[in-house]
Amino acid sequence: MSILTVEKLTKSFGGLMAVSGVNMHLEQGELVGLIGPNGAGKTTVFNLLTGVYKPSSGSVTLNRDGKSQVISGMKPYNICKMGLARTFQNIRLFRDLTVLDNVRIAMHKDVSYGLPAAFLHLPSYSREEKRLRDKSMELLKIMGLESKKDELAKNLPYGEQRHLEIARAMATDPAVLLLDEPAAGMNPAETAQLTELIGWIRQNYNLTVLLIEHDMSLVMKICERIYVLDYGMVIADGTPDQIRSDKRVIEAYLGEDAANA
């Protein structure tokens, strides 16, 4: 059974059909791309998967630990608890919190102590806070941000802010990680580093990753399968080689130069 199944997902805004009858499936541990022209509906799909928008019709089913749950229509925080986390096209960090606190705050949905323990700083509070700090530092180390734990998020260079946003998403212990244009605004060296990082995270954390990205060199290098959207509809899906040679995709998005690259 697929870990994430999207069936006939549709969203309209008044008379505008933003997403129409989208079907997708992600298997455990896959790294899948979602590409298409600007305005094709890619971020709208992410917003539907994560509860920012409610679908007009269709369903999204998450299967984690052998338990299937229809998550479409749920509140975003409930979907996050179920195991689906995301980053955003426009970085949405807590800019005036430290790097460490940006990660720690994502873990407090699972704290085991209650309000009295927090107020009185009981042993249960201290133990749990130490666990959260240790886990946060582990993620920051992976992202190369360990030495910057006390800096404010807004003071990080752009590429490191992207890494911090991924760390914060991973702190929620997701089964499926959605990355919305993680390489946007990065230079080639930063993009190459990010490419390696995404592959490492997927492999070592056994994550399923769905990636929106316009950098075709990144997509073709790390994605095992790719879905292509155009005008809110899936016009093709397959391996990178299949997508690169699909005439509909070349006409709608890639162009001849990218297809022959």
Side-chain angles (χ1 to χ4, degrees):
M1 180 181 291
S2 301
I3 191 169
L4 188 70
T5 303
V6 178
E7 295 182 304
K8 299 180 180 179
L9 196 63
T10 298
K11 180 63 179 179
S12 60
F13 298 96
L16 174 65
M17 188 67 70
V19 173
S20 180
V22 167
N23 294 311
M24 297 193 303
H25 66 90
L26 275 67
E27 303 301 324
Q28 175 64 49
E30 274 195 306
L31 205 165
V32 179
L34 180 62
I35 67 173
N38 289 329
K42 303 181 297 297
T43 296
T44 300
V45 168
F46 267 31
N47 287 338
L48 290 167
L49 296 180
T50 55
V52 177
Y53 298 150
K54 290 186 177 181
S56 302
S57 61
S59 65
V60 181
T61 303
L62 182 66
N63 178 43
R64 187 175 196 182
D65 300 325
K67 297 179 181 179
S68 291
Q69 176 75 51
V70 176
I71 63 173
S72 42
M74 284 186 174
K75 297 291 186 183
Y77 58 84
N78 285 326
I79 291 176
C80 182
K81 285 183 178 180
M82 293 291 296
L84 196 153
R86 72 173 293 181
T87 64
F88 291 87
Q89 183 176 347
N90 298 313
I91 295 173
R92 298 186 185 182
L93 296 171
F94 298 103
R95 292 173 50 79
D96 292 313
L97 292 181
T98 67
V99 168
L100 177 59
D101 284 343
N102 263 273
V103 179
R104 288 174 62 199
I105 202 169
M107 299 181 187
H108 275 80
K109 67 182 181 66
D110 295 323
V111 294
S112 58
Y113 58 77
L115 205 54
F119 276 127
L120 299 172
H121 281 215
L122 297 179
S124 60
Y125 166 83
S126 299
R127 286 194 302 269
E128 189 70 356
E129 284 298 308
K130 182 181 184 304
R131 182 185 70 84
L132 298 184
R133 180 183 174 86
D134 290 347
K135 183 178 177 182
S136 298
M137 290 304 297
E138 177 187 336
L139 289 170
L140 291 180
K141 185 176 182 179
I142 290 168
M143 298 294 167
L145 297 173
E146 186 179 21
S147 65
K148 299 190 176 182
K149 63 182 177 64
D150 295 322
E151 292 191 24
L152 296 182
K154 66 183 179 183
N155 293 334
L156 292 180
Y158 181 82
E160 291 183 349
Q161 288 189 29
R162 284 284 183 192
H163 285 198
L164 179 56
E165 193 175 37
I166 295 173
R168 187 179 61 183
M170 289 179 59
T172 66
D173 190 29
V176 181
L177 179 62
L178 310 182
L179 302 176
D180 193 348
E181 295 196 35
M186 289 187 172
N187 61 43
E190 290 172 331
T191 299
Q193 184 182 33
L194 178 70
T195 302
E196 292 184 8
L197 179 63
I198 292 171
W200 189 92
I201 289 170
R202 189 277 297 263
Q203 182 176 357
N204 287 273
Y205 280 82
N206 195 29
L207 278 176
T208 303
V209 179
L210 180 62
L211 169 77
I212 293 176
E213 187 52 66
H214 284 292
D215 188 321
M216 286 300 100
S217 63
L218 188 157
V219 171
M220 295 297 178
K221 183 175 182 179
I222 66 174
C223 291
E224 295 150 342
R225 291 193 299 117
I226 299 170
Y227 288 94
V228 186
L229 280 184
D230 192 30
Y231 293 104
M233 296 181 289
V234 174
I235 62 169
D237 67 272
T239 66
D241 285 342
Q242 290 171 331
I243 294 302
R244 190 183 284 114
S245 60
D246 190 297
K247 291 183 179 180
R248 294 168 300 175
V249 179
I250 294 170
E251 292 174 0
Y253 183 50
L254 291 181
E256 294 292 344
D257 292 341
N260 295 326

